[in-house]
Amino acid sequence: MEDYSWAQKRYLRSVDQLRLWNNNPRLNPDEKHINISDFAEDLTADQSDKQALFDLAKSIVDRGFLGFEPIVVWQDENEKFYVAEGNRRVLVLKLLRHPEKAPKSIRAYFRRLAEDFDSSSVDKISVILAPSFDAAEWYINQRNSMSSLARPWSRLQQQRWIYDQYKKYGGDIDILKDKTGLTASELDSIIRMLKIRDYINTPKVKNLLTPEEFNDANSHKFPMTVLERFFDSSIVKSKWGIIADGSNIKITADEDSFSQAYAQLIRSILGKTDVKIDTRTITTGLTDILSKLPSVKVNDDEWELGLKIGETPESVEVGQPSKPVTRGTRVSKKGDPNRDHIILTCYEINTDSYRLQAIFDELKKIPFRYTACIAASMRVFLDLAILKYIESENLKDAICAENKAELKKVILQARLEYIKQNCQLSKSSKNIIGKLLNPYDNYSLDILNGFIHSSGYTQYLNKQYLNGFWDFLFPLYTEILDIKEK
């Protein structure tokens, strides 16, 4: 019997020296995680996850850091300490100690919390030091949720963790049985289902989904129970040529027709079609569902679903269109003054401001027959973006003191002047602010204000000018807001 006495011992370790775990199943494996901001962005990408992290941070500030729920770390060959269990809690402590390292989208929130938090109280925290990562794996497998603030893994995250271990140990089910406490049949079922789910990443299926559908299907929020219920059906196995062989899935069907049906199934589970597929409709109306999905041509040829141990997926560009662009269709490009929308759909913003998020998303959709609406929205967006930057960088008191007024009474021009003179922005962003403040510039704040407060300026209400104004402001926005290209 192995000795797990190490799990009963505690050691004090510096929070600043603890490193977060890159392969945490909570994280998106396609993203790079180099600094604290990267981890925080990923762990708050989903709104419910963001709120859960906020709740955890607020609890730590209100009640203090409670060390009875263990933080488990291991030390690598370079003598660096990595967190195996407790990554969210350690991340929160790091952000409370150094709120300036938080992503722009949540920096203001952590700055406010940090004002009421004694960071010296968590210079060092008590941890369990696992003798190796393999030993830490055992602890992760044994751990159960111990408080309402613990954020349990989703079903897909749990299955992904088991599948990663399956690949790590060369498909040895006996090792997995020992580590997870699951039976061989339970493990086989999980691995088969992950292979079915991972078929989303094949070129044939990717090209049938829009970028948004592909991202939703790859999210840990994807309803795995629905997929499991569907493929557990003997009717589906028969009509789609599916054969379960231990942990393997073999298909006796034409691959193209299988891919077409599979892609439509995924889209329907995501609610992107008129065919409603959930656990209830699968139970009560499976025959009707199958009749509405593309038919699968079953044949005598056999191929295997999923990768063999040690193989890697074929490299394919993510985000291919679901349909080829037909001749005569105009495709908008970056910097195109004749594009049909101010903001291209390839951009996304991560912010806790509902208004910023809403205007950003709506400017992707508003057509140019509504130029007055677009122009007014651009002015409001600039105001909100500068306000968010002031909150994130904790500039409110300094701006109020300089202008001898409450922040709500400090006009946008004065806010911009303070930021230009006192903040460490890039030369490019300062030049943009300088031009905004110049009433004679082609892209000035005066013109933006005129869209709202003046009856003139109608000569500027055209597609080319408004697109150009947004492109002029965009480098500033990417520096002060969390805007990324998908």
Side-chain angles (χ1 to χ4, degrees), residues 5 35 42 54 81 91 116 148 273 309-310 333 406 416 464:
S5 59
N35 51 45
D42 202 340
F54 282 5
F81 292 99
L91 172 63
D116 299 322
S148 61
T273 73
I309 300 301
K333 298 179 180 179
E406 296 178 72
L416 288 167
Q464 291 78 13

Side-chain angles (χ1 to χ4, degrees), residues 137-278:
E137 278 183 342
W138 168 83
Y139 185 92
I140 293 170
N141 283 317
Q142 300 303 314
R143 181 183 180 272
N144 292 308
S145 178
M146 297 172 66
S147 79
S148 61
L149 290 172
R151 188 69 170 169
W153 290 348
S154 70
R155 185 168 181 80
L156 179 55
Q157 288 171 331
Q158 293 169 336
Q159 292 173 333
R160 176 64 62 201
W161 167 250
I162 292 172
Y163 193 31
D164 287 344
Q165 289 188 297
Y166 169 77
K167 290 184 287 187
K168 174 180 178 179
Y169 295 110
D172 192 322
I173 294 294
D174 289 332
I175 293 178
L176 257 66
K177 286 168 57 180
D178 181 57
K179 283 184 169 291
T180 65
L182 298 175
T183 66
S185 61
E186 288 172 329
L187 289 167
D188 281 341
S189 177
I190 288 171
I191 293 161
R192 287 197 307 266
M193 190 48 56
L194 261 295
K195 288 181 177 180
I196 290 174
R197 182 250 169 226
D198 279 356
Y199 193 60
I200 293 167
N201 296 299
T202 61
K204 288 181 182 294
V205 176
K206 271 185 181 179
N207 291 336
L208 294 168
L209 300 173
T210 67
E212 180 184 4
E213 290 165 351
F214 177 76
N215 289 335
D216 289 347
N218 262 318
S219 166
H220 70 272
K221 297 294 184 181
F222 181 77
M224 280 295 293
T225 51
V226 178
L227 202 67
E228 289 175 284
R229 182 73 61 87
F230 183 84
F231 282 103
D232 276 343
S233 165
S234 58
I235 299 174
V236 172
K237 290 174 181 174
S238 173
K239 287 186 174 293
W240 286 32
I242 298 172
I243 302 171
D245 181 15
S247 61
N248 297 320
I249 288 285
K250 295 179 179 179
I251 309 293
T252 57
D254 171 70
E255 190 170 359
D256 286 336
S257 70
F258 184 89
S259 300
Q260 290 278 352
Y262 180 87
Q264 190 72 352
L265 169 70
I266 296 300
R267 295 182 71 244
S268 298
I269 292 175
L270 292 171
K272 306 294 185 180
T273 73
D274 294 334
V275 183
K276 184 177 181 181
I277 300 182
D278 53 30

